[in-house]
Amino acid sequence: MCQNRFMSNTELLPVLESEAEPCCPPLDERPLTAEEAERTARMFKALGDPVRLRLFSAVASHRNGEACVCDISDVGVSQPTVSHHLKKLKEAGLLSSERRGTWVYYRVEPAVLAAMGAILTKAASV
Amino acid sequence: MCQNRFMSNTELLPVLESEAEPCCPPLDERPLTAEEAERTARMFKALGDPVRLRLFSAVASHRNGEACVCDISDVGVSQPTVSHHLKKLKEAGLLSSERRGTWVYYRVEPAVLAAMGAILTKAASV
DNA sequence: AACCTATTTTGACACATGTCGAACCAACCC
DNA sequence: GGGTTGGTTCGACATGTGTCAAAATAGGTT
């Protein structure tokens, strides 16, 4: 690792910005545009796998909506697979992660979850 | 497929059991079991594709939550593909279909939609 | 340093999925 | 009947996805 003090340590974080919140209107308000559908589908897709759904539910039902990977890894698949799914949930904006010492903690992102719920619940009152 | 009260003919589903509505608890109540996750994921998966989401939104936002295929086929894919996606939405219990004369009408299944919303919105109020 | 545990990444594999054109079925109209 | 329009199914193809074992990384302990 080249830690030359004269080189500015260009730390280019990818800044995984979670896109704005008022993502989309309720599903029954008007037909979604292609872009809206693309964004929204990404979130639903993340919950469209049983293992991911169990992992997400395990994190969400944990104390403070936060859990260590070691607490939720018992879902019947190997640990690399658990890690793979947690990564996907993170990429979809549903979870965030933080390392604290030896362990990595995942936490639910309530805003995104609420947005998904709003899209459905308003639509449910048809 | 938390409930398939009256799906028209094509019964491709294994019909595990006829559990009425309370398909699953909110995601943050307790970790979902494998079977619960399996069932719930199937619904989310159905909305996890942008084309399907647009088709569903088009039906839901139509008058009475019902639309003829010809009214919603303009989503940028071929008509066989539209039919394919509508079938998947139907298999997931989100839509039902009925032929009336020349046209086939798809309609939203509000109970299933409400169940999905409840799973998320209750969880969102953490 | 060497070792251990927790977690992620890599590489490979089988399987599922989205897409299309062509063929097919269903209802209407001449 | 023959023709036309609406919609589904079939067959094929490329791409995506879930899974694992093995290797790699991160932090702690001794």
Side-chain angles (χ1 to χ4, degrees), chain A residues 39-59:
Chain A
R39 269 181 305 178
T40 308
R42 221 170 315 180
M43 303 189 297
F44 282 113
K45 191 175 190 178
L47 293 184
D49 176 89
V51 173
R52 277 200 293 276
L53 205 46
R54 290 186 76 188
L55 287 171
F56 185 86
S57 174
V59 173

Side-chain angles (χ1 to χ4, degrees), chain B:
Chain B
M1 65 153 142
C2 283
Q3 61 123 5
N4 50 353
R5 199 168 304 163
F6 61 141
M7 297 186 58
S8 46
N9 63 26
T10 62
E11 189 47 83
L12 305 171
L13 302 172
V15 184
L16 309 164
E17 70 272 17
S18 61
E19 73 290 288
E21 358 64 38
C23 149
C24 299
L27 290 179
D28 61 349
E29 188 175 302
R30 57 166 174 77
L32 259 48
T33 69
E35 299 83 41
E36 287 170 341
E38 202 81 41
R39 273 180 303 179
T40 308
R42 224 169 316 189
M43 302 189 299
F44 283 113
K45 191 175 190 176
L47 294 184
D49 177 88
V51 174
R52 276 200 293 274
L53 205 47
R54 290 186 76 188
L55 287 172
F56 185 88
S57 174
V59 173
S61 62
H62 224 258
R63 191 169 44 90
N64 284 22
E66 173 181 286
C68 164
V69 176
C70 56
D71 290 328
I72 59 175
S73 298
D74 192 16
V75 289
V77 295
S78 72
Q79 229 245 320
T81 302
V82 168
S83 192
H84 166 73
H85 285 303
L86 288 173
K87 185 179 182 181
K88 288 218 151 191
L89 287 166
K90 199 168 137 185
E91 287 171 358
L94 296 178
L95 293 179
S96 60
S97 72
E98 179 193 0
R99 170 161 228 135
R100 289 207 292 274
T102 305
W103 297 281
V104 176
Y105 291 84
Y106 280 81
R107 164 183 322 184
V108 309
E109 213 57 69
V112 183
L113 195 54
M116 291 179 69
I119 287 175
L120 290 179
T121 49
K122 291 188 193 168
S125 64
V126 177

Side-chain angles (χ1 to χ4, degrees), chain A residues 28-42:
Chain A
D28 61 349
E29 188 174 304
R30 57 167 173 76
L32 259 48
T33 69
E35 300 82 41
E36 288 170 339
E38 202 81 42
R39 269 181 305 178
T40 308
R42 221 170 315 180

